[in-house]
Amino acid sequence: AQKVTQAQTEISVVEKEDVTLDCVYETRDTTYYLFWYKQPPSGELVFLIRRNSFDEQNEISGRYSWNFQKSTSSFNFTITASQVVDSAVYFCALSEPSSNTGKLIFGQGTTLQVKP
Amino acid sequence: EPEVTQTPSHQVTQMGQEVILRCVPISNHLYFYWYRQILGQKVEFLVSFYNNEISEKSEIFDDQFSVERPDGSNFTLKIRSTKLEDSAMYFCASSRDRGSSNYEQYFGPGTRLTVT
């Protein structure tokens, strides 16, 4: 069965520190999609990235980078030089085409607090 | 940029009352979803809707819930007789497809439902 685990419930860092948010997933599909969403205190879900299972290239977008390791079923998210505005809950999610619906399975979320 | 909209942003209702949460998905999207997030918890899939019918529903989506696409633009979630435990943030989402290299699910800002 599909499952997403974000073992880190809360992380607290000081501004300018680097921080990595872990995500481990379980799926029986060979093709799947992984996502990261940010949920700031205002409550909306902000899409950050989608990664296709057949594309293992890591991605960097500004201060954000993602490390996809198929061998360990992990899709970790690193924020470099964190800022107070990065404070939010971050969710990792999985979608399996075999489900025929495209639904997203979310992890429990990691609350990141960046202190000035 | 097109976006998913939801109304109302906050709904307060008494236990046992019926509520209808409204969503306007992105206009050329074909797949529609409702998710629920109880305060402090993860985002949970409720139901997916395609081609004017439910394509999948979770265990949470019992007989008190229903969805409808009454016209070409709106997508509604009805809770027939609300319970205290229905208090949550309800997110609507839509996507153009359900599994491709460009697959992405767009979320609305959410409706916070408070049942008293």
Side-chain angles (χ1 to χ4, degrees):
Chain A
Q2 68 273 48
K3 187 179 175 184
V4 177
T5 302
Q6 294 179 254
Q8 303 152 309
T9 308
E10 286 186 35
I11 300 176
S12 182
V13 299
V14 176
E15 210 171 17
K16 296 197 175 99
E17 283 184 22
D18 298 348
V19 58
T20 294
L21 310 181
D22 297 335
C23 173
V24 174
Y25 60 92
E26 293 176 32
T27 177
R28 280 194 284 246
D29 284 21
T30 53
T31 299
Y32 49 89
Y33 305 96
L34 296 163
F35 302 79
W36 276 96
Y37 284 87
K38 174 182 180 180
Q39 187 174 43
S42 49
E44 72 273 23
L45 287 167
V46 179
F47 168 81
L48 294 178
I49 190 172
R50 178 197 65 251
R51 171 58 70 218
N52 308 328
S53 57
F54 45 85
D55 179 4
E56 291 194 63
Q57 192 172 7
N58 291 325
E59 186 158 336
I60 298 174
S61 175
R63 296 184 297 107
Y64 295 170
S65 62
W66 291 269
N67 183 7
F68 177 37
Q69 295 278 347
K70 217 166 175 177
S71 58
T72 55
S73 297
S74 65
F75 185 43
N76 297 337
F77 172 33
T78 297
I79 302 174
T80 303
S82 59
Q83 300 175 0
V84 172
V85 293
D86 295 327
S87 297
V89 182
Y90 290 86
F91 289 97
C92 180
L94 165 71
S95 176
E96 299 170 319
S98 65
S99 77
N100 224 31
T101 64
K103 69 180 182 189
L104 295 180
I105 304 299
F106 284 83
Q108 294 285 357
T110 296
T111 300
L112 173 65
Q113 185 181 32
V114 182
K115 298 177 183 173
Chain B
E1 187 175 317
E3 57 181 19
V4 178
T5 59
Q6 290 185 244
T7 53
S9 56
H10 190 192
Q11 173 98 44
V12 181
T13 190
Q14 288 191 328
M15 199 166 53
Q17 295 295 305
E18 173 183 288
V19 294
I20 297 177
L21 310 184
R22 301 180 195 279
C23 168
V24 179
I26 294 173
S27 62
N28 63 347
H29 284 188
L30 302 174
Y31 297 84
F32 313 111
Y33 309 85
W34 283 101
Y35 294 83
R36 179 182 83 174
Q37 184 184 30
I38 294 171
L39 186 64
Q41 297 187 22
K42 70 176 179 181
V43 180
E44 300 174 289
F45 167 76
L46 287 179
V47 66
S48 59
F49 193 85
Y50 170 70
N51 202 25
N52 282 320
E53 58 182 24
I54 290 174
S55 47
E56 185 175 354
K57 57 184 180 179
S58 71
E59 293 173 353
I60 304 167
F61 195 88
D62 61 23
D63 291 345
Q64 69 161 341
F65 291 94
S66 61
V67 289
E68 197 177 37
R69 189 155 160 82
D71 53 43
S73 58
N74 290 285
F75 179 49
T76 62
L77 173 69
K78 183 194 288 187
I79 309 175
R80 232 176 306 280
S81 177
T82 51
K83 304 171 191 162
L84 292 176
E85 54 264 37
D86 293 328
S87 295
M89 180 77 95
Y90 289 82
F91 290 103
C92 174
S94 69
S95 65
R96 189 165 179 179
D97 58 26
R98 55 177 168 78
S100 73
S101 57
N102 294 315
Y103 171 57
E104 188 175 319
Q105 221 170 95
Y106 293 81
F107 281 80
T111 292
R112 178 159 299 286
L113 176 65
T114 303
V115 182
T116 61

